[in-house]
Amino acid sequence: MVTSLAGRAESRTQAKILGLLRDEGPLSRAELADRLVVSRTTVAAETARLAELGLVSDAGPAASRGGRRSTLVDLGSGLRFAGIDIGATSVNVAITDGRLTVLSRASEEIDVKVGPERVLALALELTRKLAARQEVAKLAGAGIGVPGPVDFNGGLPVSPPIMPGWDGYPVRDTMARELGCPVLLDNDVNLMAMGEQHAGVAKTAPGFLFVKIGTGIGCGIVIDGQLYRGVDGCAGDIGHMRVEDFGPICACGNTGCLEAFFSGSALARDAMSAARGGRSPVLEERLREQGTLTAEDVGIAAAHGDPQAIQMVRDGGRRIGQVLAGLVSFFNPGLIVIGGRVAMLGHLLLAEIRGGVYRRSLPLATSNLPVVLSELGEEAGVIGAARLISDVLYAVR
Amino acid sequence: MVTSLAGRAESRTQAKILGLLRDEGPLSRAELADRLVVSRTTVAAETARLAELGLVSDAGPAASRGGRRSTLVDLGSGLRFAGIDIGATSVNVAITDGRLTVLSRASEEIDVKVGPERVLALALELTRKLAARQEVAKLAGAGIGVPGPVDFNGGLPVSPPIMPGWDGYPVRDTMARELGCPVLLDNDVNLMAMGEQHAGVAKTAPGFLFVKIGTGIGCGIVIDGQLYRGVDGCAGDIGHMRVEDFGPICACGNTGCLEAFFSGSALARDAMSAARGGRSPVLEERLREQGTLTAEDVGIAAAHGDPQAIQMVRDGGRRIGQVLAGLVSFFNPGLIVIGGRVAMLGHLLLAEIRGGVYRRSLPLATSNLPVVLSELGEEAGVIGAARLISDVLYAVR
């Protein structure tokens, strides 16, 4: 089947119909009229037009509500979004349907430091390959995440510390031109938070914090179901919060930053040092075999009961917990989700984080506060990216 | 003149007219119609009704817009609100007009620890005395602030650490019954933030943090012109954020909390210790004269060039700056206002706070970030309290 998606919603009512169908699945015209507080005649006219545009289609008979049996309306089966998650060391792409279910995914390693031309070329190549495999003639839209601060309205990265060459590069507009569809750009952590809200553990949480522990550390802030970006769009930059007066020098030039103590790169550094210093037999052996060590090796060594590796995870969890305890006192969130590749260290890490949060925050703020691991893992970013663009096209925000 | 205020706004349009008149002063009916996007006929009918209720009155001819000259509408000259700010050691009350200009104020010292009955009796006495002096027959509404966490919807304090006997006490409903008008209860710091937004330095800031340094330390969070209270209503509790692993034991039972190092009570404690230990001749003399010392004495000693007192202020400012730097990274606010009694230590304190914030936060987040002292000082709380209740009666929120 070749998807030929002619149009986009032409009115706010049309967009709102699409939004309801995305989040709740097929609905009858009567239900749509009730939910949107408009007449059934309006719904009939608007869904007819959406069907012409290929954006909705009929989906069998609805359950009877008395009277004439009506037909369910569903999102057009040809609606396709792309979610593109550019990380520090890889590009992840997914094609989703209109309800943001991932249909296919591809990822490839690349260092974001090689600059925007090469990274975006790879992102385009992966997207086009997936679209061709799925026989998508035209994408409805694409969301893109990058690992650094973003000027959301301008669609470009702003002084991103780990992305040399990307400062001010018109990522959104370049990709929109290449893909021929609407594109939005955001910080990768914000997108992971949106992904977790759409399809993960934060589905029913109106307000929560999503903490990504990857190469660096960042935080997505959701208030009343919406991302909070701060006045300059750089809210959530918790990797550079101070945990000690002294400590390893951070990429930002300061000492004592959280992510200089605990993050993917900090763990790799400490693992190398432990292996070379003979303090961890397991890491020493893995270094001999692989030539290098990453945060994952620390997780494997900890799972093997290596005391040094376990200590690294616990120290890191304690420091994350300490910072989060402060944020709980300040922000009083309803849920904290821990994600990112380093979060895959799992329950040993989570236990330390929880200990720190519950020990230090105001009792009132923690009495109903779950601190949990991400449910979506690597998919959080691409689902969030698709959600970002669909929110706009469906006028959910 | 005896104010006899018969009624309240009966429709959303009426309330919105009152809100516009509060924030912008007298407007013509034509301007009101434009601003509210309703017909002039509607405005004429609604203002006529509001005039009958004593809520608006005519205020002379408007500037000509061509055609027949229209008359300005102003808030009724008899509209009166009460703002009641209950602090740790005093009760402050103000009577304001409809535009929240303070007409008269009274305050009296009382320890909040003596419990709700006695403190609220004093608050009522002061309010009634002021109302009698101003010949107010009936208040349009009253806002009340208390120095602890508040269940805003329930109108009562929740486990307030420095307010024994107040936990769960129905402050809002008790006061509404006694005053015979609508009452709302909030945390004192939130009200100071609203006051600063209404009449102070944050007037044009859509989002900002208000940091109160008083007996304890707290923070009001304003996002898009609205208070952010957190899921349990206890957001902004920054006094218990950790600044060191060890340190003086805090009222909350932990060590290393910000307010155990620097706050009104911490400064008083350190001043006593410096005076008794012979480390500060100025404080020693003041202790001999007064029998005790407060944070104000530290300010006076610092102004006299006492090195020990200056050091106390600088250490405190540095720690506040350190905590705020973290919050700037997390929250990316557009403005930080420093208020509360200890903030009156002034520019020596402010310089240290700024140093900490600008040194440690992400450059993007601080490039346009003013850190300033409160403009309203002691009036912030009572103006904010009046604003809280008027926002609801005027349907501004």
Side-chain angles (χ1 to χ4, degrees), chain A residues 46-89:
Chain A
E46 297 285 24
T47 51
R49 183 63 191 136
L50 285 169
E52 281 172 30
L53 294 169
L55 294 169
V56 305
S57 56
D58 278 343
S64 173
R65 307 209 307 182
R68 197 159 60 87
R69 218 184 175 84
S70 79
T71 318
L72 288 174
V73 183
D74 198 0
L75 284 177
S77 58
L79 260 175
R80 294 293 179 269
F81 292 103
I84 301 173
D85 183 9
I86 297 172
T89 58

Side-chain angles (χ1 to χ4, degrees), chain A residues 149-150 158-159 161 206-207 209 219 221-223 228-238 240-245 252 254-258 318 322-323 325-334 359-362 364-368, chain B residues 149-150 158-159 161 206-207 209 219 221-223 228-238 240-245 252 254-257 318 322-323 325-335 359-362 364-368:
Chain A
V150 163
V158 180
S159 314
L209 300 181
C219 178
I221 306 167
V222 176
I223 302 174
Y228 171 80
R229 293 190 171 86
V231 293
D232 302 296
C234 61
D237 184 42
I238 65 171
H240 302 284
M241 286 178 73
R242 166 195 167 276
V243 286
E244 309 279 348
D245 280 329
C252 75
N254 266 322
T255 54
C257 296
L258 176 61
R318 182 175 51 79
Q322 195 173 294
V323 166
L327 296 182
V328 167
S329 295
F330 172 73
F331 199 65
N332 186 19
R359 195 164 51 239
R360 276 218 71 100
S361 310
L362 190 76
L364 177 58
T366 54
S367 56
N368 296 306
Chain B
V150 163
V158 182
S159 313
L209 300 181
C219 179
I221 306 167
V222 175
I223 302 174
Y228 171 81
R229 294 190 171 85
V231 294
D232 302 297
C234 60
D237 185 42
I238 65 171
H240 302 284
M241 286 178 72
R242 166 197 167 275
V243 287
E244 309 278 348
D245 280 329
C252 76
N254 266 319
T255 54
C257 296
R318 182 174 51 79
Q322 195 172 293
V323 166
L327 297 181
V328 166
S329 295
F330 172 72
F331 199 64
N332 186 17
L335 168 70
R359 193 165 52 239
R360 276 218 69 99
S361 310
L362 191 73
L364 177 57
T366 53
S367 57
N368 296 307

Side-chain angles (χ1 to χ4, degrees), chain A residues 3-362:
Chain A
T3 308
S4 62
L5 189 65
R8 284 198 261 161
E10 301 156 328
S11 70
R12 200 156 168 86
T13 305
Q14 285 181 18
K16 284 193 165 291
I17 290 172
L18 297 176
L20 276 174
L21 298 177
R22 179 192 77 182
D23 294 335
E24 313 205 357
L27 294 168
S28 70
R29 286 176 177 78
E31 286 166 324
L32 283 170
D34 290 353
R35 297 294 298 279
L36 297 172
V37 198
V38 296
S39 70
R40 296 202 190 184
T41 325
T42 303
V43 167
E46 297 285 24
T47 51
R49 183 63 191 136
L50 285 169
E52 281 172 30
L53 294 169
L55 294 169
V56 305
S57 56
D58 278 343
S64 173
R65 307 209 307 182
R68 197 159 60 87
R69 218 184 175 84
S70 79
T71 318
L72 288 174
V73 183
D74 198 0
L75 284 177
S77 58
L79 260 175
R80 294 293 179 269
F81 292 103
I84 301 173
D85 183 9
I86 297 172
T89 58
S90 66
V91 172
N92 261 280
V93 179
I95 301 287
T96 78
D97 63 13
R99 298 194 64 191
L100 314 187
T101 305
V102 173
L103 303 175
S104 62
R105 258 184 64 192
S107 80
E108 204 157 302
E109 306 232 323
I110 189 169
D111 191 332
V112 77
K113 291 193 173 65
V114 302
E117 283 85 2
R118 287 175 56 193
V119 174
L120 295 181
L122 174 61
L124 281 169
E125 184 195 320
L126 293 174
T127 309
R128 286 175 178 143
K129 203 186 292 175
L130 288 179
R133 199 190 302 158
Q134 296 281 323
E135 302 186 327
V136 180
K138 185 160 167 44
L139 289 165
I144 305 179
V146 290
V150 163
D151 169 357
F152 181 71
N153 295 321
L156 33 89
V158 180
S159 314
I162 64 163
M163 301 171 69
W166 289 75
D167 185 22
Y169 193 89
V171 176
R172 182 193 62 197
D173 296 347
T174 304
M175 294 295 276
R177 200 171 50 239
E178 291 290 336
L179 292 171
C181 69
V183 169
L184 284 176
L185 180 73
D186 207 338
N187 171 271
D188 60 345
V189 186
N190 283 346
L191 296 186
M192 293 172 86
M194 292 189 86
E196 211 64 51
Q197 186 180 31
H198 185 77
V201 72
K203 236 172 171 168
T204 55
F208 68 97
L209 300 181
F210 180 91
V211 179
K212 177 196 176 188
I213 317 175
T215 303
I217 293 183
C219 178
I221 306 167
V222 176
I223 302 174
D224 286 337
Q226 302 211 31
L227 273 176
Y228 171 80
R229 293 190 171 86
V231 293
D232 302 296
C234 61
D237 184 42
I238 65 171
H240 302 284
M241 286 178 73
R242 166 195 167 276
V243 286
E244 309 279 348
D245 280 329
F246 303 103
I249 292 177
C250 182
C252 75
N254 266 322
T255 54
C257 296
L258 176 61
E259 73 177 45
F261 281 103
F262 186 70
S263 62
S265 45
L267 270 179
R269 174 201 65 205
D270 291 349
M272 293 290 278
S273 148
R276 285 180 180 145
R279 294 191 305 278
S280 159
V282 181
L283 289 173
E284 212 175 331
E285 199 191 314
R286 294 186 71 84
L287 176 59
R288 225 178 3 253
E289 285 166 9
Q290 304 170 355
T292 188
L293 290 171
T294 68
E296 278 179 336
D297 295 300
V298 177
I300 292 164
H304 277 78
D306 183 273
Q308 186 74 24
I310 291 174
Q311 190 61 46
M312 284 182 210
V313 175
R314 296 185 68 146
D315 280 352
R318 182 175 51 79
R319 290 199 168 98
I320 301 262
Q322 195 173 294
V323 166
L324 291 183
L327 296 182
V328 167
S329 295
F330 172 73
F331 199 65
N332 186 19
L335 169 69
I336 296 178
V337 184
I338 312 287
R341 216 182 291 188
V342 175
M344 294 175 192
L345 293 172
H347 288 276
L348 176 61
L349 177 66
L350 187 63
E352 283 292 328
I353 294 175
R354 282 178 171 157
V357 171
Y358 296 143
R359 195 164 51 239
R360 276 218 71 100
S361 310
L362 190 76

